[in-house]
Amino acid sequence: MSISGAIAYPAPGEAGGGQDERVARSSGDNPDVSLSRSRPPMESNPPDGTGPMHVPFGHIVANEKWRGSQLAQGMQGKIKLVFEDGLTPVDFYLSSKSCILYITEAELVAGNGYRKRLVRVRNSNKLQGIVVVEKTQMSEQYFPAVQKFTVLDLGMVLLPVASQMEASCLIIQLVQEQTREPSKNPFLRKKRALVSEPALLRSVQQIPGVGKVKAPLLLQRFPSIQQLSNASLRELEAVVGPAAAQRIHAFFSQPR
């Protein structure tokens, strides 16, 4: 689907309107960025902002605060962006029921203020949230705390990125995985969560002692974070050997 230029929609109450219509304008009128969106009749978004959102096929609905950011610029020309106000606590909607919660380097260094947003989405039964965290030289010392809180306490998928440009590539990849034809999409053939499969793999890779080689082996034996965290030391040793098993078991056994 291609949207070029700003599209004027009927005002509420006019013919063809009748629902909440918004027009968002992008700096520079870049034709590769979707500039408007309309929300068709659907389940309304609850006051806490954790309800379903209408997302056009192959698009991303982004929180207005990201307009003009390096993250948004990295996606221009590669994916259709739709900016909208009032998406708190969500930063990006990948589909009507999956979203990105982005934690910047500054937020991570500042303290635990990000936790409230994560909990709100986690407690919603209508959204699947993926947490993307800027893991930089400055914020690296704070990363274990957010990793434990996100993965262990909340059971959410966490993906570290080194920069907003890297994050833009990751988000584009997640959207593209959703838009593949069902017959060619291995995640749909397995009847598994389309977004969470690659994201879960990356999350497990970040556990101490795992990495890119051992992560797929662990997920074959323990298909979820919950199952992996409950695995015994002996069960882990059978998959990754004693040294890695000790580190993985210690990670999940530490006080949260």
Side-chain angles (χ1 to χ4, degrees):
M1 181 166 76
S2 175
I3 302 178
S4 300
I7 302 176
Y9 289 92
E14 292 182 1
Q19 58 251 18
D20 181 21
E21 307 283 4
R22 304 188 183 188
V23 176
R25 301 190 179 277
S26 171
S27 58
D29 293 330
N30 190 326
D32 290 320
V33 181
S34 178
L35 300 181
S36 61
R37 69 177 297 274
S38 67
R39 186 180 301 169
M42 62 177 291
E43 186 175 354
S44 59
N45 209 344
D48 66 354
T50 59
M53 168 73 65
H54 172 66
V55 181
F57 185 75
H59 286 57
I60 295 175
V61 176
N63 193 309
E64 180 66 29
K65 73 178 184 180
W66 291 101
R67 184 187 295 275
S69 67
Q70 187 180 42
L71 179 52
Q73 291 173 4
M75 290 187 277
Q76 290 182 7
K78 303 168 186 174
I79 204 76
K80 301 296 183 180
L81 279 176
V82 180
F83 293 96
E84 182 163 318
D85 289 322
L87 294 190
T88 305
V90 173
D91 291 292
F92 301 94
Y93 276 91
L94 306 182
S95 69
S96 62
K97 293 185 179 181
S98 62
C99 66
I100 294 287
L101 296 142
Y102 195 95
I103 302 176
T104 66
E105 175 189 75
E107 288 176 310
L108 199 55
V109 173
N112 296 328
Y114 60 83
R115 293 191 174 191
K116 186 176 181 180
R117 288 199 301 137
L118 272 57
V119 170
R120 286 170 62 183
V121 172
R122 176 63 182 84
N123 289 341
S124 169
N125 60 359
K126 299 177 181 178
L127 274 181
Q128 177 190 29
I130 297 174
V131 181
V132 177
V133 180
E134 288 183 4
K135 183 182 179 183
T136 65
Q137 185 175 0
M138 180 179 294
S139 66
E140 187 172 10
Q141 61 180 309
Y142 305 96
F143 182 77
V146 68
Q147 183 183 38
K148 290 175 184 175
F149 179 74
T150 303
V151 177
L152 298 185
D153 291 351
L154 301 183
M156 299 175 72
V157 172
L158 181 146
L159 304 176
V161 293
S163 65
Q164 290 191 14
M165 288 304 295
E166 181 180 335
S168 68
C169 295
L170 172 63
I171 294 174
I172 289 170
Q173 180 183 355
L174 291 174
V175 174
Q176 289 174 341
E177 285 166 352
Q178 290 188 92
T179 58
R180 294 174 63 184
E181 295 179 24
S183 61
K184 298 180 180 180
N185 193 319
F187 302 120
L188 286 182
R189 289 202 302 267
K190 296 176 183 178
K191 296 184 179 180
R192 293 183 177 178
L194 182 57
V195 174
S196 64
E197 278 280 336
L200 178 60
L201 178 62
R202 294 187 185 93
S203 186
V204 172
Q205 288 172 359
Q206 298 303 312
I207 297 174
V210 180
K212 294 183 178 180
V213 175
K214 295 183 177 67
L217 299 176
L218 286 167
L219 287 174
Q220 287 179 8
R221 176 65 178 81
F222 312 104
S224 70
I225 291 291
Q226 182 179 9
Q227 290 177 293
L228 180 58
S229 65
N230 291 330
S232 68
L233 183 59
R234 179 173 296 181
E235 289 174 322
L236 292 171
E237 288 178 349
V239 179
V240 295
Q246 286 282 358
R247 297 186 66 187
I248 298 167
H249 192 264
F251 173 77
F252 285 115
S253 301
Q254 290 177 9
R256 302 176 188 178

